[in-house]
Amino acid sequence: MILRPRFTAIMLLFHVASLLYAQERTFTVLLLPPKPITQTEDGLAYLPVLYRSLEEQLTLRKFEVFPRERIQSNPEFQAIAGETFLPAERVVPIGRALEANVVVTTTYGLEGNRLFIHIKGFDVRTSRLAAATSETGFAGLAGFSLSEQSALRFAESLSGYRETYDPNEPITLEAIASLVFQSADEGMRVSLDDRGPSGTILQGEWEAPYVPFRVNSKILVYKEKDGYYPEAEQVVLHPGENRILLRPLQKKYRNEVGVGWTLGEAWGAALEYRRYLEPDYLFISFTERFYVQYDTLTGSRPVFHNDASLSLGGYLFSSYKDRFRIGVSLGAGVVVTSFTVSEMPIYTDYYLNPGSPFLELNYNPWAVFLLLRVQYGLGMGNNFLGRGFFTIQQGGVPITVGVRRKW
């Protein structure tokens, strides 16, 4: 019974001591100068406010912030001073050289009348992300308040990390040996993790300059090539040499040809050519349909129909990458009908296409399509089909199915 109060008192003293140690423990921060993405006068105006706000908020929370002059005079920092995007691999070595606990990088920029700010803090021991914040809002005077708000939120986030900081956390520094990208897209430009263009695929591959990426880490590879859609691809890095085959880029198609058959026109076919005004989205097309009506009975004569039309069309609510695509076209055309009887004239039926919807099953550059042909006859001149919507003999709107190929 006597030991119980004594034991409780000892445990309480240990608890208070641990709290005091956590509060008084020095936590040094290497705060690198914010990096504007675009060097404009409007953008540069936010740099001193953002820099000062981060220093004040971190100092207010008992972080030890390295003096600016000490950073500027550091040779390692001077070597990266011209770079805008600074991942952990570039800044953590500077933090180690200066014996900091955390190194902080900031990027910001303007998009129209919007200001965006990204702040990241990397643990120098483990190179992992310790704290981060991302803010966006209106520029102008509101941008200065946004800068102060971003600094406040980042300092709060880093304070939370400090509370759970474990100086004995195991460190895994195993790095890859090399990184080679392979691709069939000759001349494709490759960038790594938001940096500028890092290299070009030549003779099927490009070897990236050595960066000690961690084994099993994931990086984003940005790919672009003239005449193709840009794309970001995530890859996982493995021990030793990494030879990574990148997915091919999707070409921006400008031309397309299609063939089809229309329900109710057993003896016929359709041929279409498209020219894309906006690749894979907006087009003008010329369609030629020829079909024969013939019952093969004795004394019967075939009837020839030639349908030529010009249309403007586009795809709705779908991307060039989608498997299923919906679109619509509109335009005008004429159906020329010949009964192959000398006493009968040639008929011409002019019509409007007020909107013909179509559905595609997309396997770029190939596509299978289904088209509802909406044609309204004008009943002009020497016409045969009259005024009104054209229908097939069995009744209903003509439906064309077929296949297309782009190039």
Side-chain angles (χ1 to χ4, degrees):
M1 297 296 292
I2 298 175
L3 292 176
R4 187 181 298 275
R6 217 177 264 181
F7 177 77
T8 304
I10 292 172
M11 294 303 295
L12 182 61
L13 286 173
F14 271 116
H15 179 67
V16 172
S18 65
L19 289 177
L20 290 173
Y21 172 74
Q23 291 177 354
E24 294 176 359
R25 182 172 57 203
T26 301
F27 210 88
T28 55
V29 176
L30 176 59
L31 178 62
L32 300 180
K35 293 284 188 175
I37 293 179
T38 53
Q39 299 286 335
T40 63
E41 185 176 349
D42 291 340
L44 292 174
Y46 299 104
L47 193 155
V49 176
L50 188 54
Y51 202 176
R52 185 188 69 249
S53 297
L54 280 167
E55 289 176 325
E56 291 176 351
Q57 292 296 337
L58 291 171
T59 302
L60 183 63
R61 285 161 178 77
K62 308 302 182 184
F63 288 100
E64 183 179 321
V65 181
F66 278 81
R68 297 189 186 187
E69 57 273 12
R70 186 177 175 187
I71 299 172
Q72 295 291 346
S73 61
N74 181 269
E76 287 84 358
F77 170 75
Q78 293 174 358
I80 65 168
E83 300 180 27
T84 300
F85 300 101
L86 297 171
E89 293 82 6
R90 299 291 286 162
V91 297
V92 164
I94 305 175
R96 291 199 186 102
L98 295 176
E99 299 182 349
N101 294 107
V102 171
V103 58
V104 177
T105 65
T106 306
T107 56
Y108 72 94
L110 295 171
E111 290 182 352
N113 63 344
R114 306 284 294 181
L115 172 66
F116 61 89
I117 301 171
H118 304 296
I119 310 173
K120 295 180 181 179
F122 299 102
D123 187 312
V124 171
R125 286 189 67 255
T126 63
S127 295
R128 69 186 181 93
L129 190 65
T133 188
S134 182
E135 303 284 340
T136 183
F138 288 107
L141 293 176
F144 297 106
S145 297
L146 183 67
S147 300
E148 295 172 349
Q149 175 182 307
S150 301
L152 170 63
R153 293 189 177 179
F154 176 77
E156 291 174 343
S157 177
L158 191 59
S159 296
Y161 179 77
R162 178 176 56 185
E163 292 174 4
T164 60
Y165 179 74
D166 180 8
N168 299 313
E169 179 182 358
I171 302 175
T172 303
L173 292 177
E174 183 181 2
I176 65 171
S178 64
L179 182 57
V180 177
F181 293 105
Q182 298 175 315
S183 174
D185 290 321
E186 191 73 7
M188 181 175 71
R189 296 179 293 278
V190 180
S191 310
L192 305 181
D193 280 341
D194 285 335
R195 302 179 196 174
S198 298
T200 303
I201 298 292
L202 296 174
Q203 296 182 347
E205 66 179 37
W206 171 68
E207 182 173 2
Y210 180 73
V211 176
F213 288 115
R214 289 188 179 186
V215 170
N216 297 323
S217 63
K218 298 178 181 179
I219 63 172
L220 277 179
V221 181
Y222 296 89
K223 306 174 295 183
E224 59 180 350
K225 182 180 178 180
D226 294 340
Y228 292 75
Y229 292 101
E231 182 183 281
E233 179 177 348
Q234 187 178 72
V235 300
V236 180
L237 303 179
H238 303 288
E241 296 182 354
N242 284 258
R243 301 186 72 85
I244 297 175
L245 180 61
L246 297 174
R247 293 193 301 266
L249 291 176
Q250 176 66 59
K251 183 179 179 180
K252 294 181 178 179
Y253 293 108
R254 288 285 186 180
N255 302 279
E256 186 175 40
V257 66
V259 293
W261 175 83
T262 303
L263 182 66
E265 301 173 3
W267 296 34
L271 180 65
E272 178 187 19
Y273 168 74
R274 287 181 177 180
R275 173 64 179 179
Y276 282 90
L277 306 176
E278 181 181 348
D280 302 295
Y281 288 98
L282 182 66
F283 61 84
I284 55 173
S285 69
F286 176 76
T287 304
E288 176 72 27
R289 280 168 59 224
F290 182 82
Y291 58 100
V292 180
Q293 288 178 289
Y294 186 45
D295 57 19
T296 69
L297 297 177
T298 304
S300 297
R301 301 292 297 271
V303 180
F304 297 118
H305 300 276
N306 188 70
D307 181 347
S309 62
L310 185 67
S311 302
L312 174 68
Y315 291 88
L316 308 174
F317 321 117
S318 60
S319 164
Y320 67 93
K321 297 184 291 186
D322 292 341
R323 183 68 68 202
F324 293 97
R325 305 191 72 190
I326 299 174
V328 66
S329 65
L330 51 89
V334 59
V335 179
V336 179
T337 302
S338 172
F339 280 82
T340 65
V341 178
S342 58
E343 305 86 57
M344 297 188 69
I346 301 296
Y347 295 95
T348 54
D349 286 271
Y350 295 95
Y351 65 87
L352 295 178
N353 167 16
S356 294
F358 58 87
L359 174 67
E360 279 189 6
L361 186 59
N362 181 28
Y363 293 93
N364 275 321
W366 293 92
V368 178
F369 71 90
L370 183 149
L371 167 69
L372 273 65
R373 293 191 177 276
V374 181
Q375 299 165 296
Y376 184 82
L378 301 177
M380 297 170 53
N382 186 29
N383 68 90
F384 175 72
L385 300 175
R387 187 182 183 88
F389 286 101
F390 295 169
T391 59
I392 60 176
Q393 287 183 340
Q394 295 84 349
V397 177
I399 299 176
T400 300
V401 294
V403 63
R404 297 191 179 105
R405 192 186 190 285
K406 299 176 183 178
W407 74 93

